[in-house]
Amino acid sequence: MTTTLTAKKTPITVAYGDGIGPEIMDATLRIITAAGARLDIEKIEIGESVYNRGLSNGIEDSSWESLRRTKVFLKAPITTPQGGGFKSLNVTVRKTLGMYANVRPCASLAPYVATKHPNMNLIIVRENEEDVYGGIEHRQTNQVTQCLKLISRPGSERIVRYAFEYARANRRKKVTCFTKDNIMKITDGLFHKIFDEIAKEYPDIENEHWIVDIGAAKMADTPEAFDVLVMPNLYGDVLSDVAAQITGSVGLAGSANIGDHCSMFEAIHGSAPRRAGQNMANPSGLLHGALLMLSHIGQGEIAEKVHNAWLKTIEDGVHTYDIYKDGVSKQKVGTKEFGDAVIARLGQKPEKLPAAEYAKGGQMDISARASGAAAKKEHVGVDIFIDRPSGEPDEIASALRGFTVPGTKLTVISNRGTKVWPNGNPDTFWSDHWSCRFEADGGTFNTGHVVQLIEAVTNAGFEVVKTEGLYTFDGARGFSLAQGQ
Ligand code: NAD
């Protein structure tokens, strides 16, 4: 999707949600409208009232039409009803509308909010759909379970491109990639490779890669060393919570879920039902969601104006109850009065906190690009996984070599990724889940060989629990070697 700055109003869909939702949405919309946001607002109803009408997803069909029409969703928190039978609205919206990027800015506000990291100001861009979150899991033997980790080229390209476009549109200087490609050379290796490829298209932005373990340690210790971070789903899930927590102000954060067709912007907190209807709640989390939205739709100059007025309000000690502190705060205000205070400061910049900077009329081009030409794929073998509760690697190997499937040969047996035959180490521990690799013996390999091998392995008395094809792509190996191979 390409978004450009125009004087035209951008249609957006707004849901006021439950609990404190209506109050914080009202304050948020008043602030951004007063700052000059050019928006054409369509209201939809979501959450408790819709669940109570018997819709298990918490959203009406007509609301989907609005979301597909406007493609931009500013959402207040909702209350998820207790008890079974209800589905998470967030997960439903994210999955249905293919929101592949989760974006969470994490900035500290010291000394107004206590933190060990007063100079922290980073953004985590997390891939939202792939990795182990397909939830494709199997138990294949008594002892061994597995979860499939899927990383695709198009999925990685669009998240990495999003991170660089976000950096450019928001005047960020560096994008850092975290992976574990020293171990997962094929999956995380692809993510890293694509990061390096796309980084070349953005010479104005610094780029770097860290192995996720030491990178996470560095981020927890010295978060000010990072700017924009991009990473696969699981690392992003864990580290975006770590980053939000160490700012000291989880309650003030917003987040965006970005898709090719539709994007959703919200606070990270919930509907705080106990605070509802009392003009107490802090609208800052949702306001930050709205800032991400304004940047996304090309109204970065409005986002900058609002962000700086908000920083000045915090700096002036005008605080809602949740961050009010004697000696630091000057005035305890309600939701509405906080909104008024931000509006009164539009056009001002903070004096002590660093001012926010967004690209004016920023244009983010996150349109899908054609992936590189398809590589030549050749079938070169198969891993046949067997369930064998007892037995020694050498016994299994001799049984598997007791038959012949012409054109194939047994090359290695591994257990949980470690080679146990030939020449296994007697100290290696093994479970009941064995991978037996058969490769072409000189000539070519095909699916017919796989079928004959499954039959022969079964006839030799083994239980086949799965197979994985072995392929090369333009001659490069598309499968891992066992440890010790
Ligand atoms: P919560 O985030 O609503 O509240 C946690 C604590 O933070 C409470 O003490 C609350 O008073 C306070 N708080 C939260 N937001 C605040 C704000 N803006 N200003 C001042 N104080 C604030 O979490 P919860 O109590 O676990 O959940 C309440 C409901 O929200 C549940 O039904 C939950 O399912 C739902 N929820 C919705 C979303 C969403 O819509 N995205 C996210 C999380 C939770």
Side-chain angles (χ1 to χ4, degrees):
M1 186 177 73
T2 302
T3 50
T4 40
L5 172 71
T6 66
K8 265 178 55 186
K9 289 184 169 180
T10 304
I12 66 166
T13 300
V14 165
Y16 281 69
D18 300 317
I20 59 171
E23 297 159 73
I24 60 174
M25 181 60 83
D26 189 55
T28 297
L29 290 178
R30 275 199 309 119
I31 295 167
I32 61 175
T33 308
R38 300 172 296 280
L39 302 172
D40 193 357
I41 293 172
E42 287 187 15
K43 260 171 75 172
I44 61 166
E45 200 187 342
I46 55 163
E48 225 173 1
S49 54
V50 183
Y51 282 118
N52 290 341
R53 288 205 288 277
L55 281 107
S56 66
N57 283 333
I59 180 165
E60 303 266 11
D61 286 350
S62 56
S63 301
W64 288 115
E65 283 160 29
S66 171
L67 292 176
R68 288 197 193 95
R69 193 167 42 242
T70 67
K71 303 176 178 26
V72 180
F73 186 19
L74 181 62
K75 174 185 160 289
I78 59 155
T79 303
T80 313
Q82 300 293 312
F86 299 106
K87 297 196 183 111
S88 156
L89 177 77
N90 265 26
V91 175
T92 303
V93 171
R94 253 190 356 233
K95 287 201 161 172
T96 307
L97 298 175
M99 295 177 179
Y100 62 86
N102 182 266
V103 183
R104 187 182 291 182
C106 298
S108 48
L109 289 168
Y112 309 99
V113 177
T115 170
K116 292 179 186 136
H117 304 287
N119 301 315
M120 166 177 188
N121 184 359
L122 58 80
I123 315 267
I124 298 205
V125 177
R126 161 190 170 193
E127 199 289 317
N128 224 9
E129 292 185 308
E130 301 194 340
D131 200 347
V132 289
Y133 286 72
I136 307 168
E137 295 192 296
H138 300 92
R139 176 177 172 180
Q140 293 171 329
T141 68
N142 261 309
Q143 296 176 346
V144 177
T145 55
Q146 68 165 30
C147 177
L148 216 51
K149 173 172 167 117
L150 297 173
I151 301 276
S152 76
R153 173 167 271 277
S156 305
E157 280 176 355
R158 60 185 184 174
I159 191 75
V160 170
R161 187 171 300 289
Y162 182 84
F164 278 99
E165 286 288 327
Y166 183 92
R168 191 177 264 173
N170 294 282
R171 306 205 168 183
R172 296 286 181 151
K173 296 188 170 50
K174 182 169 76 171
V175 180
T176 303
C177 175
F178 281 0
T179 72
K180 186 78 184 172
D181 68 338
N182 54 334
I183 302 297
M184 286 162 279
K185 297 188 169 82
I186 295 181
T187 49
D188 279 18
L190 177 64
F191 196 93
H192 184 177
K193 180 168 176 276
I194 288 168
F195 176 79
D196 289 345
E197 283 170 17
I198 291 179
K200 290 198 184 87
E201 297 176 33
Y202 297 85
D204 49 320
I205 298 166
E206 202 187 321
N207 70 83
E208 63 178 7
H209 172 269
W210 290 69
I211 298 294
V212 62
D213 43 26
I214 189 63
K218 174 87 174 169
M219 190 198 79
D221 181 66
T222 322
E224 59 275 18
F226 297 104
D227 196 345
V228 175
L229 293 114
V230 64
M231 58 194 85
N233 206 341
L234 179 60
Y235 314 138
D237 189 1
V238 176
L239 293 184
S240 58
D241 273 11
V242 172
Q245 179 69 30
I246 64 175
T247 63
S249 61
V250 181
L252 306 185
S255 88
N257 287 283
I258 307 291
D260 275 340
H261 307 294
C262 190
S263 302
M264 175 167 75
F265 304 87
E266 60 182 340
I268 70 172
H269 61 71
S271 58
R274 281 193 315 121
R275 308 290 179 193
Q278 298 162 56
N279 189 37
M280 284 182 82
N282 188 341
S284 299
L286 186 59
L287 186 65
H288 278 274
L291 296 178
L292 288 163
M293 176 190 78
L294 289 170
S295 168
H296 180 74
I297 63 176
Q299 298 189 25
E301 79 287 7
I302 310 290
E304 180 174 310
K305 192 171 168 187
V306 172
H307 200 151
N308 284 323
W310 176 81
L311 287 167
K312 182 79 168 72
T313 309
I314 296 290
E315 198 177 84
D316 286 348
V318 182
H319 295 163
T320 42
Y321 83 94
D322 54 313
I323 58 166
Y324 185 89
K325 215 187 273 165
D326 284 332
V328 177
S329 308
K330 302 241 162 59
Q331 199 187 343
K332 192 187 273 182
V333 291
T335 315
K336 187 175 170 309
E337 294 71 29
F338 184 83
D340 293 340
V342 177
I343 291 170
R345 287 165 178 76
L346 287 169
Q348 297 183 33
K349 287 197 170 176
E351 282 152 30
K352 295 177 202 107
L353 292 166
E357 252 195 281
Y358 293 66
K360 313 294 183 298
Q363 183 179 36
M364 287 178 63
D365 179 3
I366 48 170
S367 51
R369 309 282 205 281
S371 290
K376 183 164 183 280
K377 179 178 175 185
E378 279 184 86
H379 199 171
V380 297
V382 64
D383 282 341
I384 297 185
F385 289 77
I386 58 170
D387 178 351
R388 187 71 163 183
S390 58
E392 298 270 327
D394 286 348
E395 280 170 34
I396 294 173
S398 73
L400 293 176
R401 295 169 93 203
F403 59 81
T404 41
V405 170
T408 73
K409 62 176 181 210
L410 179 71
T411 55
V412 64
I413 300 176
S414 58
N415 195 298
R416 297 173 309 140
T418 303
K419 183 188 81 168
V420 291
W421 181 92
N423 309 319
N425 186 317
D427 294 330
T428 304
F429 173 82
W430 56 74
S431 71
D432 55 6
H433 191 261
W434 308 81
S435 172
C436 311
R437 178 163 293 177
F438 293 87
E439 294 180 72
D441 191 11
T444 56
F445 194 90
N446 58 47
T447 310
H449 289 125
V450 178
V451 173
Q452 289 176 59
L453 281 165
I454 293 172
E455 194 174 11
V457 171
T458 307
N459 289 340
F462 296 99
E463 184 188 345
V464 174
V465 291
K466 74 159 185 168
T467 65
E468 293 284 355
L470 306 179
Y471 303 96
T472 58
F473 292 83
D474 286 343
R477 192 165 36 79
F479 48 93
S480 53
L481 299 179
Q483 300 288 334
Q485 195 178 353

